[in-house]
Amino acid sequence: MRHTLAVLVENNPGVLARISGLFSRRAYNIHSLAVCQTENPSLSIMTIVVEGDSQVIEQVTKQLHKLVVVHKVTNLSNEAVVDRELALIRVKVKQETRLEILQTVDIFRGRVVDLGRSSLTIELTGDEDKIDAFVRTMKTYGILELVRTGRIAIARSES
Amino acid sequence: MGNVKQDLFVARDPEFTWEDEESLARCKSKYNGARALLDMLEKEGVELIFGYPGGVLLTLYDALLDSSIKHILPRHEQSAVHAADAYARVSGKVGVCLATSGPGAANMVTGIANAYMDSVPLVVLTGQVPTHLLGTDSFQEVDITGMTLPITKHSYLVKDANDIPRIVREAFYLASTGRPGPVLIDLPKDVMAAEVTSSCPEKVHLPSYKYFSKGNAGQIIEAAKAISMSKKPVVYAGGGVITSAAGLSLCQLIEKLNIPVVTTLMGIGSIPSTHPNLLGMVGMHGTVTANLAVNDCDLLIAVGVRFDDRVTSGLKHRFATKAKVIHIDIDPAEIGKVVRANIPIVGDARLVLEDLLPKVQVPETSAWWNQLRAWQQEYPLRYEQNGHLNPQMILEALGRIGGEQAVVTTDVGQHQMWAAQFYPVKVPRHFITSAGLGTMGFGFPAAIGAQFAKPDSLVFLVTGDGSFQMSIQELATTVQYSLPIKIILMNNGVLGMVRQLQKMFYNERFNQIQLHANPNFVKVAEAYGVKGLRVDKPEEVEPALIKAIDYPGPFLLDFAISPDEVVLPMVPSGKVITEVLGGED
Ligand SMILES: Cc1ncc(C[n+]2csc(CCOP(=O)(O)OP(=O)(O)O)c2C)c(N)n1
């Protein structure tokens, strides 16, 4: 099963190496990893999607806690969360497919962010499934380039 | 052309670009990183460091001349780490070692890994190229913090000299608290010369670092209930018992409850070898009784252990299958890592055992003891006395003659296992061995570190001819510092442990185990100024040991051992205890 871990770490050089080194050395499987500074500039948050059963996740969490640079590990899979990914997709476009593509982009609430003679660049946010579905549709037109951020997630506020 | 080449070389050599009179004078006159570092080490109570100099360390070595800290010069950086490691294990203090950048730092890697595996508190100092050359593949540059990420508890690359006081403080705190381990501080050359205006922080501020000391009270009550109700309990004690000084509490517990105890290799010394409740070492070369006890118990009380595969045979699902497991450890990540614990208790072993003691009721274990005593009768640790010089006999004699306060360090191989089996260890921190990493070459520098920790104690090194030659250059160190170490060399002319495995599991297809060109070790010792004596016959053992002990300086005893001796019993890796080899006659 996939788990989303929010790992609050020090914002220092070498921290990413410590985290990624831990995962590779102990053969934990990272599905995606997104890093950014938090509102506190001395801390970063890493959103790590990791594959494994509950025992593996327990070990990952404990091993992460052992790193001095790690302040907090939250398993967001146990909580109600909002999660998002951002994708940028450049698709081949022809006169006769242009309208179709634009309509699809609209349905998925994406945005066209760049326009070329024979290609379109689309920005799309959403959860993984939504982006997967969009990517599948675009494949029929021909994807020239695709980048995805990996999942970022945040716990929902209590109502 | 020739000149250009020479200039290039000079330009790449820090000794030429950095050691001009002017820069030396400049950094000497101010309170620089090097002095701040040494002041901090003094504040942390450091009395001696094991180190080896080099280009980027010149400022530091210059400052050392004015410091109260004693510097010991082993003959290899790996030895410096091992010596600091054993110094820490014997004294209970943090060991400190130092090496120059590049090759010096790289030579320390094995030593750091060794200390990490056995949870030894070390502060490892490495020189580094000046900050402006970092990342440029400059002369003698290696990314030592990167290389040691998986084998350090934490590490620092100091970029600002004003961080030195804080970092040193943190390093000692991290190395010695919680589960101890090595902490590395990488010190660029310019940082050591730069002026320091900051002062020593009052307190360590590490909000992200926590460790447990007292165990959870509810869990302790659960454990007490489980123990009181058990019929076949066994304590499985490891290095954590020694680290937390829990030996006495553990003895009180097993005596009050009359329950048996087995130890790991790291746990040797936690319980005196003569204690009637001690069933011996558990695992691959443990006693049959210790292994059968763990296999058959209904309650395994694991204290300061990590279920290493030398104990479990790597068969976590077939290990102690009938038992409920209480796991007491200071490192939460060890709990559930290998074997599921029914009652996990995270905390310091001594504090947990102290809390546990008044809460437990004496379980009914007489039937269990009958069984255990029967096994002990049936499967004693034994060896064949065949008129030859048996290694086991030497170790027993050493135990008799050496006295209870002697410290023994070992190398790695058959001699190590024989020492674990046959040398009677009475006191914690008196049996020093490379357990987790199994590092040949550890024993001799470890003996040096041990002797510095206990200048007035007898220190024995039990080594093999393979291992000894990995650190043989330290003969010079023992002479230079007049360390009266007694070297017990089990000389079988082979890499005995590997030979044993080839003999038992590879149809005696021996390969690369013969040490053909072994020197005359007595002569080598004498060349360094160490006394030596060859011993061939059983009746010479005791007089030789007495002679070596009575001699005021270092002494090497070269014991002629047969290469055919084997370490038994043996549970081959990947096999369960019931498949033990050599348990009975
Ligand atoms: C640095 C290192 N290299 C290789 C090994 C693998 N190894 C384990 S025991 C052993 C043989 C040790 O021979 P010796 O020191 O003569 O001791 P003996 O087994 O003969 O008592 C070897 C090569 C090791 N443990 N450490």
Side-chain angles (χ1 to χ4, degrees):
Chain A
M1 194 195 146
R2 267 182 203 165
H3 292 254
T4 309
L5 304 180
V7 187
L8 190 65
V9 298
E10 250 149 59
N11 182 12
N12 285 334
V15 170
L16 183 59
R18 285 178 201 276
I19 306 277
S20 61
L22 174 71
F23 276 79
S24 66
R25 150 170 109 248
R26 295 198 181 262
Y28 306 140
N29 223 338
I30 296 188
H31 178 69
S32 74
L33 168 69
V35 196
C36 66
Q37 206 179 346
T38 63
E39 74 290 353
N40 175 348
S42 68
L43 296 176
S44 293
I45 188 106
M46 294 188 177
T47 312
I48 307 177
V49 180
V50 53
E51 190 87 47
D53 58 24
S54 61
Q55 212 174 333
V56 169
I57 300 304
E58 186 186 321
Q59 261 298 305
V60 171
T61 309
K62 286 173 166 178
Q63 294 291 348
L64 281 169
H65 269 301
K66 272 176 80 167
L67 298 177
V68 175
V69 294
V70 171
H71 284 244
K72 198 171 164 205
V73 183
T74 317
N75 188 347
L76 293 174
S77 316
N78 303 334
E79 303 183 24
V81 293
V82 186
D83 63 276
R84 288 288 180 274
E85 234 187 283
L86 166 66
L88 293 171
I89 308 152
R90 198 146 58 113
V91 199
K92 236 189 261 173
V93 62
K94 296 197 202 101
Q95 196 58 45
E96 58 273 26
T97 56
R98 183 175 225 104
L99 198 63
E100 247 175 76
I101 293 177
L102 288 176
Q103 278 172 346
T104 316
V105 170
D106 226 33
I107 294 168
F108 278 86
R109 299 186 197 286
R111 283 201 311 151
V112 175
V113 290
D114 190 31
L115 206 59
R117 249 195 301 131
S118 55
S119 71
L120 273 179
T121 303
I122 302 147
E123 171 199 307
L124 187 71
T125 57
D127 62 16
E128 209 173 326
D129 290 345
K130 174 179 162 186
I131 293 176
D132 284 347
F134 183 72
V135 168
R136 266 197 306 279
T137 323
M138 287 303 117
K139 272 197 180 138
T140 52
Y141 306 105
I143 294 177
L144 296 169
E145 222 180 320
L146 166 69
V147 284
R148 295 169 71 156
T149 55
R151 186 189 302 174
I152 57 168
I154 199 163
R156 286 184 189 277
S157 43
E158 299 119 274
S159 44
Chain B
M1 272 309 268
N3 270 348
V4 174
K5 225 172 166 179
Q6 213 171 352
D7 284 348
L8 261 179
F9 177 74
V10 170
R12 295 194 58 176
D13 187 339
E15 317 234 345
F16 287 89
T17 52
W18 281 84
E19 262 43 74
D20 57 301
E21 301 284 328
E22 202 188 330
S23 69
L24 243 182
R26 204 166 50 233
C27 64
K28 247 183 152 171
S29 63
K30 56 189 183 197
Y31 188 69
N32 59 26
R35 286 169 61 183
L37 172 70
L38 294 173
D39 281 352
M40 282 305 299
L41 294 181
E42 283 175 21
K43 280 208 181 84
E44 293 292 341
V46 176
E47 285 161 15
L48 52 103
I49 62 183
F50 300 89
Y52 209 100
V56 299
L57 292 180
L58 290 170
T59 311
L60 182 58
Y61 273 83
D62 186 72
L64 255 171
L65 286 173
D66 305 320
S67 162
S68 72
I69 293 172
K70 190 170 163 191
H71 181 280
I72 311 302
L73 181 78
R75 296 306 190 263
H76 195 291
E77 289 89 350
Q78 184 178 329
S79 299
V81 195
H82 289 329
D85 172 326
Y87 176 85
R89 294 193 209 211
V90 172
S91 68
K93 297 187 212 159
V94 177
V96 183
C97 53
L98 165 66
T100 193
S101 67
N107 270 347
M108 291 179 122
V109 170
T110 304
I112 298 169
N114 189 77
Y116 185 74
M117 288 293 261
D118 289 346
S119 307
V120 178
L122 284 190
V123 169
V124 180
L125 306 167
T126 50
Q128 183 54 281
V129 301
T131 44
H132 73 274
L133 290 180
L134 276 173
T136 64
D137 307 312
S138 53
F139 180 66
Q140 296 196 325
E141 178 183 5
V142 295
D143 171 15
I144 193 65
T145 47
M147 284 164 69
T148 56
L149 274 188
I151 52 168
T152 48
K153 186 168 171 183
H154 194 51
S155 55
Y156 297 89
L157 168 56
V158 188
K159 296 246 176 91
D160 180 346
N162 281 316
D163 290 338
I164 286 177
R166 172 183 61 82
I167 285 174
V168 174
R169 256 262 141 110
E170 289 178 7
F172 276 82
Y173 180 72
L174 289 169
S176 59
T177 56
R179 179 179 184 172
V183 177
L184 185 139
I185 308 178
D186 200 17
L187 296 149
K189 184 182 175 90
D190 53 334
V191 167
M192 274 184 288
E195 185 162 14
V196 173
T197 51
S198 65
S199 55
C200 168
E202 287 289 306
K203 274 214 258 170
V204 173
H205 180 66
L206 283 168
S208 57
Y209 175 75
K210 290 178 241 9
Y211 63 91
F212 296 80
S213 26
K214 274 197 159 274
N216 177 287
Q219 291 293 89
I220 290 174
I221 289 172
E222 285 302 306
K225 275 194 215 147
I227 293 171
S228 310
M229 277 162 20
S230 67
K231 297 256 174 323
K232 299 169 158 192
V234 174
V235 174
Y236 156 38
V241 174
I242 294 175
T243 308
S244 72
L248 205 64
S249 319
L250 184 58
C251 276
Q252 287 170 344
L253 188 81
I254 59 173
E255 282 163 15
K256 173 177 172 186
L257 305 177
N258 193 25
I259 53 180
V261 56
V262 302
T263 76
T264 64
L265 182 60
M266 285 295 292
I268 288 180
S270 57
I271 303 286
S273 64
T274 42
H275 198 288
N277 292 31
L278 181 64
L279 307 178
M281 184 168 73
V282 65
M284 182 179 271
H285 292 298
T287 64
V288 175
T289 307
N291 281 317
L292 286 176
V294 168
N295 190 57
D296 215 42
C297 68
D298 67 354
L299 179 69
L300 188 68
I301 307 158
V303 191
V305 291
R306 58 186 177 86
F307 295 83
D308 179 72
D309 53 274
R310 276 293 178 274
V311 170
T312 64
S313 278
L315 301 170
K316 54 181 181 182
H317 300 300
R318 294 174 71 185
F319 180 74
T321 44
K322 303 169 195 163
K324 204 173 196 183
V325 176
I326 300 172
H327 192 179
I328 302 168
D329 203 279
I330 197 150
D331 181 357
E334 284 306 337
I335 288 171
K337 186 182 86 178
V338 178
V339 168
R340 269 255 161 249
N342 304 83
I343 306 174
I345 303 176
V346 179
D348 177 86
R350 184 174 60 83
L351 298 178
V352 172
L353 292 178
E354 280 172 4
D355 284 349
L356 187 60
L357 190 63
K359 300 194 176 63
V360 275
Q361 248 111 57
V362 183
E364 172 44 49
T365 54
S366 50
W368 180 224
W369 272 114
N370 289 340
Q371 171 70 80
L372 296 169
R373 295 296 181 218
W375 281 332
Q376 282 184 315
Q377 285 267 306
E378 197 176 344
Y379 311 107
L381 261 186
R382 68 172 106 218
Y383 60 96
E384 203 184 326
Q385 260 158 319
N386 47 16
H388 290 126
L389 200 53
N390 300 105
Q392 299 91 339
M393 162 211 295
I394 299 167
L395 290 155
E396 285 176 341
L398 190 64
R400 276 195 307 279
I401 301 168
E404 298 198 350
Q405 289 307 318
V407 179
V408 167
T409 75
T410 83
D411 256 302
V412 171
Q414 291 180 308
H415 61 275
Q416 176 190 32
M417 290 299 113
W418 287 318
Q421 293 175 332
F422 291 93
Y423 180 81
V425 186
K426 305 277 169 51
V427 196
R429 300 189 178 278
H430 280 54
F431 184 75
I432 308 300
T433 195
S434 167
L437 199 65
T439 314
M440 287 172 70
F442 170 78
F444 197 8
I448 290 171
Q451 188 75 79
F452 275 110
K454 288 203 164 237
D456 300 325
S457 289
L458 259 177
V459 174
F460 294 108
L461 160 65
V462 176
T463 185
D465 44 326
S467 296
F468 188 53
Q469 289 182 81
M470 288 204 177
S471 294
I472 198 165
Q473 73 285 352
E474 300 308 330
L475 283 166
T477 316
T478 58
V479 174
Q480 180 174 340
Y481 298 97
S482 311
L483 305 173
I485 293 164
K486 313 303 172 192
I487 301 162
I488 311 297
L489 175 62
M490 304 278 186
N491 187 353
N492 52 12
V494 291
L495 299 172
M497 188 54 101
V498 181
R499 186 178 188 277
Q500 169 168 350
L501 296 171
Q502 291 178 348
K503 176 172 165 171
M504 293 171 98
F505 307 113
Y506 287 82
N507 287 321
E508 307 205 356
R509 280 165 55 84
F510 295 123
N511 191 12
Q512 308 302 318
I513 42 89
Q514 204 72 45
L515 296 172
H516 283 298
N518 262 353
N520 177 329
F521 288 101
V522 171
K523 280 194 177 160
V524 172
E526 281 167 356
Y528 278 97
V530 171
K531 269 266 192 239
L533 184 66
R534 171 82 174 174
V535 185
D536 297 289
K537 299 191 191 67
E539 62 273 18
E540 293 168 0
V541 171
E542 292 209 359
L545 286 171
I546 291 168
K547 189 169 176 184
I549 291 168
D550 287 346
Y551 184 75
F555 205 112
L556 180 144
L557 289 172
D558 180 14
F559 288 102
I561 303 296
S562 160
D564 285 317
E565 295 279 357
V566 283
V567 183
L568 290 175
M570 173 168 195
V571 185
S573 61
K575 305 269 181 183
V576 285
I577 167 61
T578 39
E579 296 169 90
V580 64
L581 304 173
E584 52 245 279
D585 295 301

